[in-house]
Amino acid sequence: EPVDLTLVRDIPAWLRSLRLHKYTECFADMDWTEVVALSDEDLQAKGVMALGARRKMLKVFEAVQAILERDGDLDKVGIAL
């Protein structure tokens, strides 16, 4: 299923697109650039206890970081999960 990575800038919309919206409050005090830098341990500390949810988030985080390193831009980019 393709994910529009431009949604990462809007954390609640991004989490809804991943069907992980129940974790929106975990990231309420964070900017998207901080969120995509989180590790598995960081996610657990934030309250994301489900392994599947953490894996899904980490996969997107890695993709976002790779795109930023390559292009420096997230506009109109999509990946398949």
Side-chain angles (χ1 to χ4, degrees), residues 29-47:
D29 61 338
M30 299 180 74
D31 180 75
W32 72 271
T33 57
E34 298 168 318
V35 173
V36 299
L38 295 175
S39 68
D40 186 58
E41 294 79 19
D42 295 331
L43 288 173
Q44 288 181 59
K46 284 285 196 181

Side-chain angles (χ1 to χ4, degrees), residues 2-81:
V3 175
D4 182 355
L5 293 183
T6 59
L7 285 177
V8 173
R9 291 183 178 117
D10 181 352
I11 295 170
W14 169 67
L15 291 172
R16 276 192 306 277
S17 76
L18 296 173
R19 296 185 178 175
L20 296 172
H21 51 279
K22 75 180 198 174
Y23 298 109
T24 300
E25 285 299 312
C26 297
F27 308 110
D29 61 338
M30 299 180 74
D31 180 75
W32 72 271
T33 57
E34 298 168 318
V35 173
V36 299
L38 295 175
S39 68
D40 186 58
E41 294 79 19
D42 295 331
L43 288 173
Q44 288 181 59
K46 284 285 196 181
V48 182
M49 302 312 277
L51 179 60
R54 291 195 317 271
R55 284 184 178 167
K56 196 175 206 181
M57 288 180 192
L58 290 169
K59 187 172 184 177
V60 174
F61 295 172
E62 288 175 16
V64 170
Q65 291 167 358
I67 292 164
L68 287 173
E69 287 176 15
R70 185 187 71 215
D71 301 336
D73 193 358
L74 293 180
D75 290 333
K76 300 179 182 174
V77 176
I79 63 163
L81 290 179

